[in-house]
Amino acid sequence: MKKELVHTAQERYSDAGDTALFGKPTQSMKAQWNVPDNRPLADFAPTIILKAKDFATEITIFNAREHKMNTEAAISSEHITNNQAVRKTLLERGIRPENLPPAEDVKKVERRLASEAKKALKKPDVLDE
């Protein structure tokens, strides 16, 4: 039961953070990028968005510990503020998160790399002597 509560809280933080970062809810970005409902938005996010989200989350973790935040409301508010600050920085640098195209589906990339590795093992390159 506790794991379900934690997971639900994490989803709420993530959704609120996405809304602050993209200026629209997670579901809107999923629809825009054609992300299946059962897949995370991050699986289709460009690297700059992954880094932006990670940076905002790390600031939240740091400040939550530093300021001994122990309520969901305080941590959520901090997370939203940090995502808004990261969005502001991106916008100032000419990057509008909600207008970026999606990256290639991470699952497709994983399958392609696994396939290429398998092929490489079957036909290794010969070293020139």
Side-chain angles (χ1 to χ4, degrees), residues 12-47:
R12 281 194 300 269
Y13 293 149
S14 180
D15 289 344
D18 284 350
T19 300
L21 182 63
F22 291 108
K24 57 173 81 174
T26 305
Q27 279 308 121
S28 294
M29 285 306 300
K30 280 184 153 190
Q32 183 175 323
W33 286 350
N34 297 316
V35 176
D37 285 337
N38 64 337
R39 298 280 304 280
L41 185 63
D43 282 359
F44 295 80
T47 303

Side-chain angles (χ1 to χ4, degrees), residues 1-125:
M1 178 75 171
K2 190 172 184 173
K3 271 188 177 179
E4 290 173 9
L5 291 174
V6 170
H7 185 66
T8 302
Q10 287 173 340
E11 285 177 347
R12 281 194 300 269
Y13 293 149
S14 180
D15 289 344
D18 284 350
T19 300
L21 182 63
F22 291 108
K24 57 173 81 174
T26 305
Q27 279 308 121
S28 294
M29 285 306 300
K30 280 184 153 190
Q32 183 175 323
W33 286 350
N34 297 316
V35 176
D37 285 337
N38 64 337
R39 298 280 304 280
L41 185 63
D43 282 359
F44 295 80
T47 303
I48 194 160
I49 294 300
L50 295 174
K51 298 294 185 178
K53 289 170 65 74
D54 188 46
F55 185 50
T57 299
E58 287 300 320
I59 295 169
T60 301
I61 291 167
F62 179 86
N63 283 340
R65 288 179 180 151
E66 188 75 12
H67 302 290
K68 297 177 180 25
M69 295 177 194
N70 55 14
T71 66
E72 184 179 333
I75 295 167
S76 181
S77 177
E78 176 68 18
H79 190 58
I80 291 166
T81 298
N82 294 328
N83 273 279
Q84 289 169 335
V86 170
R87 176 180 174 78
K88 182 176 182 253
T89 300
L90 291 170
L91 292 173
E92 287 171 354
R93 303 302 306 151
I95 301 166
R96 185 165 288 280
E98 65 274 19
N99 290 347
L100 295 175
E104 186 176 8
D105 177 357
V106 73
K107 298 288 186 193
K108 286 183 181 177
V109 173
E110 287 172 353
R111 286 192 299 270
R112 185 175 65 244
L113 291 174
S115 174
E116 288 173 3
K118 202 174 189 180
K119 287 177 187 173
L121 289 174
K122 289 181 181 177
K123 283 184 131 184
D125 291 337

